[in-house]
Amino acid sequence: MKEFLNGRVRVTVGDITRERVDAVVNAANSSLLGGGGVDGAIHDAGGEAILAECRELRRTLYPEGLPTGEAVATSAGRLPARCVIHTVGPVWGRHGGREAELLANCYRNSLLIAAGRGLASIAFPAISTGVYGYPREEAARVASETVAKFLQGETATGDERDESAGALREVRYVFFSQADADVFLRNHKFD
Ligand code: ADP
């Protein structure tokens, strides 16, 4: 496990559904009704309760689906985590050059939810780098810059300047393979 920012950021390899953290982030799709990759693994391991809450969110708050870059929380069912934060990453090449901005929004909005709930730890998968085709090198840059800015209390817009990381003590990046973690470790912008 590699550490950055005085241990507030950790990089690890494994199955994110097994992480003992307060919040696990799901690389969802806008339907919120499940899919492959991390999404499928979270719903399989977490059980029906998560899907039932996602269906309710669709019915009430997001009838058109969760927009790209936004995030929403549910409980975590049978996962060891306390909640799941679902966020929709950009599909590479489908957003007219706004992919980096949208990917940053995924990280920032997930962190805002965790901080708003007073959570101490959050684990992220490599959002958009699977089926959504985001180049891993580029994703590493965006994921690290956004988390660093957040933990250092400088969010991108004036409106959010008062938001802070609050009780958030640990942000963990969970890669499915050592090769993916190595790409991140070669391309991150910490330090
Ligand atoms: P997206 O649709 O946002 O690209 P994917 O789930 O297809 O999301 O992939 C995102 C990343 O998550 C990929 O790098 C993939 O290897 C990884 N991944 C898949 N399953 C897991 C898991 N159980 N735990 C951690 N990472 C996973």
Side-chain angles (χ1 to χ4, degrees), residues 14-16 27 36-38 41 125-132 136 174 176 180:
D15 175 354
I16 199 164
V38 181
I127 299 166
S128 285
T129 67
V131 175
Y132 283 5
R136 292 176 194 281
V174 181
F176 213 26
D180 291 349

Side-chain angles (χ1 to χ4, degrees), residues 3-9:
E3 295 187 358
F4 302 96
L5 303 185
N6 297 320
R8 291 183 83 195
V9 170

Side-chain angles (χ1 to χ4, degrees), residues 148-171:
K149 268 189 197 157
F150 188 85
L151 290 178
Q152 288 157 3
E154 323 152 5
T155 48
T157 69
D159 294 349
E160 289 169 359
R161 206 158 280 153
D162 288 334
E163 298 284 354
S164 82
L168 203 53
R169 277 189 282 107
E170 185 188 333
V171 176

Side-chain angles (χ1 to χ4, degrees), residues 16 37 44 56 63 66 89-90 94 129 135 148 157 165 171 177 189-191:
I16 199 164
D44 285 350
E56 190 60 13
L66 183 65
R94 290 270 179 86
T129 67
T157 69
V171 176
S177 71
K189 301 291 174 192
F190 295 116
D191 304 323

